[in-house]
Structure formats: C-alpha cells, structure tokens
Amino acid sequence: MKLNLNDRTAQRIRDTNFLMFYENVTLDAPQLFSENSIDILNASNSSTFSDKIFDLGGRDVNVGVVDYGPYCLTENVGENRGNADAFNSTLRKELQIEGLEGNLIIEFCKLRNCTLKLLPFGPDNWGYIDENGTGDGMLYATYLKKTELSICCTSFDWVQDILDGSQSIAYSSMKILVPRAKLLPTYLTPVYPFSSNLWISIFVTLTSMSVVLHGITALNSFRDALDQPAFVKSIFDTIAIFLDQGIFLNLICFIMLSGVVLSNSYSGGLASVLTIPRFEKSLDTIHNFALSQYRWAAPSIAWTFTIADAETPDLQAVVRKIEVIPDPDQLYRRSLRGDIGIGIELLNSQKFYVGPGGGP
C-alpha cells in the first residue's frame, strides 16, 4: 500500500466511501520513492486503519458541522448533558447534535469506536476555498486539516476537485409554494367571454368594413354631385351598380352572418363567465413562474447552489428571484403580502420541511 505525503505529520487518507487514518509514521531515507511515496506497511512504528475502520481504537475524529436543519442542529447544553465533545475543549459531552446527518455521525462513532470532536460553524457557514489556497468556513477548515470531516449537506460540485466526499446519503428536492391564482376583476366581466386576440380581430374587421362602406357612400355622393356629360355619368352609374349589387351585398351578408355567430358565441361565453368565476393563470410550472412578477423566499442561499450554474433561462430566472430570509417569523410575515413564493423541501422520507436552514 502506497500513499502520497506532503509532510511527516499524521494525515488522513480517503477513499470514495469514507476516511482511512494513519498516524505515528516515521520515515527513513531508503524508504522514500519517487513523488514522496512511501510504503506504509513497511514504515516503522506505523499504525494503519485502512482495512480496520470498524474499530478506530477510541481515536479522536474532528468533525466540522454547520446548523442546517433538518440535517444538523448543534447546541451547547453543558458538560455531560450532550452527545458529543467540543473541539479544543476539556469538557465532556457538552454539545448536543441532532438531525439526519448528526445522528449518522453519532452512530458511526458508537459503532466504530471513535471519539467525536465537533467544531460548530453556525448556520449556513459552509465557507469557500479560493484558488490561491485561502478561504473560510467549514470546508476550508477541512482543507487546512483542522478537521477531518465536514458534514451536513456538502454536496457541492466545486468541492469535488479539492476535497473527497462520501457516497450520497440522502436526496431531496425543492418546491416553491406560490400564492393561489387571484380572482379577476368583476368589472371586466363583459370582456372575459372572448380572448384578447379575438377582440382585436373583431375590432380590425369592424374598422375595415366601416372604411369600405364609407368609400362606397362617398363614391355615390361624388357621382350625384358631379356635373358631368351623359357618357361619364353612365360609367359612374355602372360602377355604382356593380358595387351595390356585388361587394356591397356580399359585405352586408358577411356582417349579418358574423353578427349571428359572434352574438351566439358571446352569449354562451358570458353565461360561462357568470357561472364560474375567472382567475389569473396559475403558476404550475417553472416556466410560468419565471415569466411572472413573483419572487420567492428561502431561509438560506443554499437553496440555489444546485441550480446556480444552470444554462436554461427559466432556472436562471429562479436563481435571480430568490430572497434570503433566515428568520422564520419574518419569512411568515413576508408571505402574508401574497406577492412572493415560499421554498419548501421534499425530504428523502417524502415529507415536506419548511424552516430556517431548509436544504435545497
């Protein structure tokens, strides 16, 4: 078994499922290979746990954690009243950690015989790691090897090239609870039977027919008022008769037929509107929500992490429309205005969760 080392201090080795630890390694010059690789099995005074993770021998495991319900919630409850030790503290069991991933790490240390040392980072403080090696927060502490594990919703794509992660533990999905469709104004009831496009078509048709009738009337008036020779008058009479008997009669028939059809359709539509009230278009798809004027609120910016780099315009609009409101009371008061949606989480257990720190 060979490992790549950067220094001679105790370090951790990760595989795709969890961590493997080694400690108390002393190196001799003949044991060094290319790229600072050493043969751990032949190193003197070495103690490896690569295939013995089921019993870590009481080893301290430093774990960074953020408050992010319902996955991890940490509270200082006093000595011997909690279920985990605090990092860099001599008091025992002064922290109480709960939640899906919190219970998971507690049970892991019970089953694998290790001592859990928690380093809380507060709500939503996952942190960041810059390209130059600087950063802050929970993930940066693991990058600096201050902690050996970071838990609580750490499935971020940008971390995969810097830190190793375990297999996925649970999946959840996000839904936006939007206000119901509002009742359309009642004073516009006479307009509702027809759509906007149909009303425009009717207006254009009536305007066109009015222009044609006005042209025919103006031509007849011009013919009667004009003092003209008999031959010229005969030409105008012929044109007038043609218009009166052809275009004019056809136009009259079209107006009458259109009137019958439109009046019957309008009567039926008006009866329907008076029977069933009309509402605004419901926001039942992401596309409709993206086109609407509504915004949405969530207790953490983490709700947008998985779609922040999406290329579709609808998801980009969803990311832009978020309002981060960590306080649940303020979030509730904000929702009473009826002009904003609320983010809710569908958990792996198929139950909905709404609250501060709800996950994406």
Side-chain angles (χ1 to χ4, degrees), residues 14-64:
R14 296 185 181 86
D15 62 7
T16 58
N17 294 318
F18 215 83
L19 298 181
M20 299 182 294
F21 303 97
Y22 69 93
E23 57 187 6
N24 301 326
V25 178
T26 58
L27 306 180
D28 297 325
Q31 293 176 310
L32 295 178
F33 294 86
S34 60
E35 298 181 357
N36 295 326
S37 297
I38 64 169
D39 190 342
I40 290 295
L41 296 181
N42 295 326
S44 60
N45 300 325
S46 64
S47 177
T48 61
F49 300 94
S50 59
D51 60 344
K52 300 176 183 178
I53 198 171
F54 55 85
D55 186 1
L56 295 176
R59 188 188 193 283
D60 290 346
V61 178
N62 301 325
V63 178

Side-chain angles (χ1 to χ4, degrees), residues 134-156:
T134 61
D136 190 24
M138 180 183 67
L139 295 175
Y140 186 62
T142 302
Y143 176 77
L144 291 180
K145 302 176 184 178
K146 184 178 181 180
T147 60
E148 295 168 312
L149 282 175
S150 291
I151 64 171
C152 199
C153 300
T154 57
S155 181
F156 306 133

Side-chain angles (χ1 to χ4, degrees), residues 122-352:
D124 307 337
N125 188 17
W126 289 275
Y128 62 92
I129 303 173
D130 291 331
E131 294 182 356
N132 59 3
T134 61
D136 190 24
M138 180 183 67
L139 295 175
Y140 186 62
T142 302
Y143 176 77
L144 291 180
K145 302 176 184 178
K146 184 178 181 180
T147 60
E148 295 168 312
L149 282 175
S150 291
I151 64 171
C152 199
C153 300
T154 57
S155 181
F156 306 133
D157 293 338
W158 63 270
V159 178
Q160 304 303 321
D161 296 333
I162 305 174
L163 302 174
D164 293 333
S166 69
Q167 297 290 344
S168 298
I169 298 172
Y171 294 91
S172 62
S173 59
M174 181 190 75
K175 295 182 180 294
I176 300 178
L177 187 65
V178 297
R180 67 177 183 179
K182 297 179 180 179
L183 185 67
L184 293 176
T186 55
Y187 65 85
L188 294 178
T189 300
V191 181
Y192 294 150
F194 290 159
S195 64
S196 300
N197 293 334
L198 183 55
W199 279 119
I200 294 175
S201 300
I202 293 174
F203 176 78
V204 172
T205 301
L206 292 177
T207 303
S208 302
M209 291 188 296
S210 299
V211 171
V212 173
L213 289 176
H214 176 73
I216 294 175
T217 303
L219 183 60
N220 288 332
S221 300
F222 176 77
R223 181 198 62 182
D224 296 336
L226 185 63
D227 186 11
Q228 54 193 346
F231 179 74
V232 176
K233 185 176 182 302
S234 299
I235 294 176
F236 277 101
D237 289 340
T238 303
I239 295 175
I241 293 173
F242 174 76
L243 293 176
D244 289 341
Q245 299 298 323
I247 298 177
F248 187 75
L249 292 179
N250 292 334
L251 187 60
I252 294 298
C253 293
F254 176 76
I255 293 175
M256 293 180 61
L257 182 60
S258 300
V260 172
V261 174
L262 290 176
S263 62
N264 290 336
S265 300
Y266 183 82
S267 299
L270 184 60
S272 175
V273 171
L274 295 176
T275 304
I276 303 176
R278 289 296 180 93
F279 292 86
E280 294 179 345
K281 188 176 182 180
S282 60
L283 305 179
D284 51 358
T285 64
I286 292 296
H287 179 70
N288 292 339
F289 179 79
L291 296 179
S292 70
Q293 77 278 11
Y294 287 97
R295 299 180 63 84
W296 67 287
S300 171
I301 191 61
W303 288 69
T304 63
F305 283 172
T306 55
I307 59 174
D309 297 327
E311 298 180 356
T312 58
D314 291 344
L315 293 180
Q316 292 175 357
V318 171
V319 174
R320 291 193 303 268
K321 288 185 173 186
I322 187 175
E323 291 185 13
V324 179
I325 306 178
D327 182 56
D329 294 333
Q330 183 181 358
L331 183 63
Y332 171 73
R333 292 192 299 269
R334 180 68 178 86
S335 66
L336 297 179
R337 301 181 188 177
D339 60 349
I340 194 170
I342 302 297
I344 60 176
E345 181 181 6
L346 179 61
L347 302 178
N348 199 54
S349 60
Q350 300 303 306
K351 294 183 179 180
F352 288 104

